[in-house]
Amino acid sequence: MCGIVGYVGSRHAMPVLLEGLGRLEYRGYDSAGIALQRKGKFDLFKKAGRLDVLRGTLPKRNAATCGIGHTRWATHGEPSDLNAHPHVESSGAITIVHNGIVENAGALRDFLRERGHTFASETDTEVLAALIAEEFLLDTDLTASIRRAVSRVAGTYGIVVMHKDVPGLMVAARNGSPVVVGIGENEMFVASDIAAIAPFTRQIIYLEDGEIATLSAKHHEIQDFQATITNRPTSTIDVDTTLASKGDHEHFTLKEIIEQPDAIRRTLSGRLDERFKTAHFGGLNLDAKDLMAFKRIKILGCGSAYISGSIGASMIERLARIPTDAESAAEFRYRNPIIDPQTLYLAVSQSGETYDTLTAVQEIQRKGGTVLGIVNVVGSSIARQCGAGMYLHAGPEIAVVSTKTFACTLCAFALLALYIGRMRDVSPAEGAEVIRALNELPQQIQNLVERSDEFKQIAEKYAQYQRAYFIGRCEGFGLAREGALKLKEVSYIHAEAYPASELKHGPLALIDEQTPTFAIVPDDDLLAKNLSTLAEIKTRKGPVVAMGQSEVLATQVDDYIQVPGSHPLTDPILLLIPLQFIAYYTALARGCDVDQPRNLAKSVTVE
Ligand code: F6R
């Protein structure tokens, strides 16, 4: 959730840290800070608020060549200058940035108070700093001090630490929160996310859980918590850093909605097999025999990733006729799930770092299950933990709410449905139809993108309502959930999704002229049922916006968004686009910060 960055080398550290933090700000953004190591002391700057607030307090120049920085998403302690990171332990010896949660912070704080430490903030992080300082008194090896300190810590952490008496040295450790080391020419970087260091070096090493990296300008050493050296060759990252900039767009959210045709082209690229009318994947590590042995599929993810899984489950069942369902990864991991060897598990995550999804994967693997990742960020924790699966190749998604990665995930499910379906009962002719629809998809989305003014007008018409319903059936209900989630996240309107079939079983009581309903109404065999539901709403004077393919809708609802129909597997992706624009323009009309909504963070690496 928080972003971490560190630098040691011969450049001035401050601009490097600020550049890195700017690229991480989407992860968490309620406060930011940097600590620069200079002449046996730390220059510390930290401020509640966005990174720009911190920028406004910094000196023009600082000669330090070693420093750490942090952008925060508050867990322990409100967003304030004092609670912002980096934290400096009370004697001033140690400074630290931390991502994660120390679960036994209370007990450790009591113990450390007895040892004479005082605490200026409400954070669990300050406790870590004091604990490391305490260990440093025993010997002056910072790495060994951290190793001993973390052995007493329960919880998750990605940390970077500096000691004032050990100039030019940063030590990072990882347990449950991502840490990546960047190796430059006589300089080292460390961060929670490659985005922060990609402008400076492409040579990286991901720390695994239970590892510590000791970094000086010319050397790096990685060891595990037992002090065994685990150095390994670097990997080269392939990140187009320009993709992570807004370009001419007003917001990342808008840019990411608009670039969906290209993102989807990348998801499809090289995966359509025109000869056998199927899909192929490079990284599943399962052959046809393995796949045919599975009797069920279960999809896990959180938030929008979970919702995409519920739509994906309908797609797979629809085409491949294999029982498939989706569950929240967070619910799954806590309920001691039965892991069935004949079930194929799929873990969906844009960031590849969502802690609940990662631990669900570990739970499945621990019990002998097979799990594949459907992940956007290459080399992320979930991708590495799964070891096999499919990358989305959607490109960096910076806006906090997921848009293009949601669409690309639905594409990935369509490909998977085709692949498994063609191993089972789907005929080559049916396979060819899916391939046609997938090939047409980017242009059809482009056509919808070009109608953004139409969606803007509808958004502005309904922007001042305080609540809204989203309804649909089957995949349409999944889209309703996604539409409602997007709207509430960015505009703070209370939006609730319901299966259209359930409305009359209770929620209809809330329908009145102040409660608009956004209805997903594809032209399928449930059209008549959906039209009856809409009539029930209209009878109660509820305003209705419907999106679908049937012209009948135009006469029955207040606003009709005509969305072209193509194939049941790709229609949900087309119907998604107006929902995204409506959320975006509603947020704008209400003056909300659409890229960085309140209380949220891009990558949820805590429980
Ligand atoms: C919603 C949103 C979140 C994420 C969820 C999972 O717009 O972005 O609900 O979908 O936090 O994140 P990932 O996909 O990174 O695992």
Side-chain angles (χ1 to χ4, degrees):
M1 328 255 331
C2 310
I4 288 176
V5 62
Y7 173 77
V8 55
S10 52
R11 309 183 201 209
H12 287 170
M14 190 169 78
V16 176
L17 298 178
L18 289 175
E19 169 76 29
L21 289 180
R23 286 164 180 275
L24 293 179
E25 202 184 11
Y26 69 101
R27 290 182 67 109
Y29 37 75
D30 57 43
S31 43
I34 57 174
L36 301 160
Q37 193 189 53
R38 210 160 53 92
K39 296 185 187 148
K41 67 177 185 65
F42 299 122
D43 293 337
L44 183 67
F45 307 94
K46 48 188 201 164
K47 271 305 213 197
R50 299 283 159 96
L51 188 55
D52 276 343
V53 181
L54 174 73
R55 278 200 182 100
T57 67
L58 294 174
K60 277 208 169 47
R61 207 174 153 279
N62 182 296
T65 57
C66 180
I68 57 179
H70 189 269
T71 168
R72 179 170 186 247
W73 185 86
T75 56
H76 286 51
E78 57 165 14
S80 68
D81 292 357
L82 268 185
N83 287 336
H85 298 216
H87 288 284
V88 178
E89 159 281 336
S90 51
S91 78
I94 293 249
T95 184
I96 184 171
V97 286
H98 168 220
N99 182 8
I101 293 177
V102 178
E103 286 164 9
N104 55 343
L108 288 172
R109 195 179 281 114
D110 293 344
F111 160 78
L112 289 159
R113 274 200 182 109
E114 277 169 27
R115 308 274 308 162
H117 292 272
T118 56
F119 297 96
S121 78
E122 299 157 83
T123 65
D124 50 345
T125 305
E126 216 185 344
V127 175
L128 275 179
L131 197 60
I132 297 166
E134 192 63 23
E135 293 294 341
F136 196 83
L137 297 175
L138 301 179
D139 63 35
T140 51
D141 178 339
L142 185 57
T143 307
S145 306
I146 293 176
R147 197 170 51 238
R148 287 194 302 274
V150 296
S151 72
R152 304 179 59 177
V153 171
T156 56
Y157 45 85
I159 52 173
V160 189
V161 181
M162 299 188 297
H163 195 291
K164 73 175 175 46
D165 296 339
V166 197
L169 192 86
M170 304 184 288
V171 183
R174 169 185 170 143
N175 183 43
S177 300
V179 178
V180 58
V181 172
I183 319 277
E185 192 87 1
N186 294 329
E187 57 185 358
M188 298 287 162
F189 305 82
V190 65
S192 51
D193 184 324
I194 52 172
I197 50 183
F200 306 108
T201 178
R202 297 287 158 109
Q203 298 305 310
I204 53 131
I205 298 175
Y206 291 104
L207 284 201
E208 299 296 339
D209 280 346
E211 283 189 328
I212 304 186
T214 309
L215 308 170
S216 60
K218 291 193 168 75
H219 294 104
H220 69 277
E221 182 180 270
I222 300 177
Q223 48 176 267
D224 62 20
F225 285 178
Q226 285 70 49
T228 308
I229 308 288
T230 53
N231 276 351
R232 51 191 172 271
T234 59
S235 324
T236 306
I237 44 164
D238 174 22
V239 183
D240 182 351
T241 48
T242 58
L243 280 175
S245 85
K246 255 193 297 218
D248 292 336
H249 300 283
E250 207 184 328
H251 296 105
F252 277 111
T253 309
L254 183 62
K255 173 181 181 255
E256 288 159 9
I257 293 173
I258 288 175
E259 68 192 14
Q260 288 180 112
D262 282 340
I264 283 176
R265 278 189 195 100
R266 287 195 296 271
T267 303
L268 296 177
S269 175
R271 287 177 169 153
L272 291 175
D273 181 342
E274 300 279 355
R275 186 165 165 231
F276 290 104
K277 311 297 177 211
T278 183
H280 47 212
F281 302 98
L284 296 192
N285 292 353
L286 295 171
D287 61 20
K289 209 162 147 231
D290 298 327
L291 273 172
M292 286 300 283
F294 292 114
K295 300 276 179 276
R296 302 188 65 88
I297 297 176
K298 183 161 199 80
I299 306 169
L300 299 161
C302 295
S304 281
Y306 163 37
I307 296 173
S308 75
S310 71
I311 300 175
S314 303
M315 289 175 166
I316 294 170
E317 274 201 1
R318 191 184 276 278
L319 195 74
R321 305 304 296 159
I322 176 165
T324 307
D325 72 331
E327 185 176 344
S328 150
E331 290 295 314
F332 175 85
R333 63 176 280 239
Y334 282 122
R335 66 170 177 80
N336 191 18
I338 297 168
I339 300 302
D340 171 14
Q342 292 190 313
T343 296
L344 173 63
Y345 296 87
L346 301 175
V348 182
S349 176
Q350 183 289 124
S351 61
E353 302 295 349
T354 300
Y355 188 72
D356 285 322
T357 310
L358 178 63
T359 43
V361 169
Q362 289 163 342
E363 176 78 357
I364 295 164
Q365 291 174 332
R366 196 178 60 75
K367 292 179 172 173
T370 305
V371 54
L372 303 178
I374 298 182
V375 173
N376 191 39
V377 177
V378 175
S380 54
S381 300
I382 293 170
R384 284 180 292 125
Q385 183 72 40
C386 290
M390 191 191 321
Y391 281 120
L392 298 175
H393 301 304
E397 190 176 69
I398 305 298
V400 162
V401 295
S402 67
T403 52
K404 63 175 177 173
T405 55
F406 188 89
C408 290
T409 308
L410 295 189
C411 257
F413 282 125
L415 286 167
L416 207 59
L418 174 63
Y419 184 56
I420 300 173
R422 284 287 291 121
M423 282 176 199
R424 297 160 74 96
D425 290 334
V426 173
S427 68
E430 276 180 276
E433 259 304 284
V434 178
I435 291 180
R436 175 207 52 81
L438 286 168
N439 276 326
E440 287 175 2
L441 193 56
Q443 184 55 50
Q444 288 169 323
I445 295 180
Q446 185 58 40
N447 297 344
L448 285 163
V449 163
E450 283 163 18
R451 287 168 52 194
S452 63
D453 278 348
E454 178 188 333
F455 311 138
K456 182 175 183 214
Q457 272 176 24
I458 292 176
E460 285 171 354
K461 179 171 167 189
Y462 293 95
Q464 298 317 323
Y465 285 85
Q466 294 312 314
R467 53 181 181 268
Y469 270 116
F470 284 72
I471 59 167
R473 287 177 153 87
C474 304
E475 286 95 329
F477 173 52
L479 288 172
R481 288 172 63 201
E482 176 63 4
L485 180 62
K486 270 329 65 118
L487 188 73
K488 70 174 76 125
E489 283 180 301
V490 298
S491 74
Y492 318 138
I493 291 175
H494 179 205
E496 199 180 353
Y498 249 90
S501 53
E502 279 282 317
L503 212 67
K504 60 182 174 293
H505 295 297
L508 205 54
L510 292 182
I511 295 289
D512 59 17
E513 50 276 77
Q514 292 308 316
T515 312
T517 299
F518 293 84
I520 323 299
V521 193
D523 194 1
D524 57 15
D525 42 9
L526 296 172
L527 177 64
K529 307 239 173 278
N530 277 321
L531 291 175
S532 304
T533 307
L534 297 186
E536 285 159 15
I537 298 171
K538 286 306 307 164
T539 309
R540 274 94 189 161
K541 298 194 170 42
V544 175
V545 180
M547 47 216 86
Q549 298 107 18
S550 169
E551 290 302 325
V552 180
L553 286 165
T555 58
Q556 297 218 355
V557 300
D558 299 270
D559 289 283
Y560 169 49
I561 298 174
Q562 200 278 335
V563 178
S566 178
H567 186 282
L569 247 55
T570 54
D571 286 353
I573 307 172
L574 295 171
L575 287 159
L576 169 72
I577 311 302
L579 292 169
Q580 296 173 332
F581 275 114
I582 286 171
Y584 172 74
Y585 285 120
T586 305
L588 244 53
R590 291 169 70 94
C592 302
D593 183 345
V594 66
D595 278 348
Q596 298 182 329
R598 70 183 180 207
N599 304 343
L600 300 181
K602 183 66 181 162
S603 169
V604 187
T605 51
V606 293
E607 293 200 56

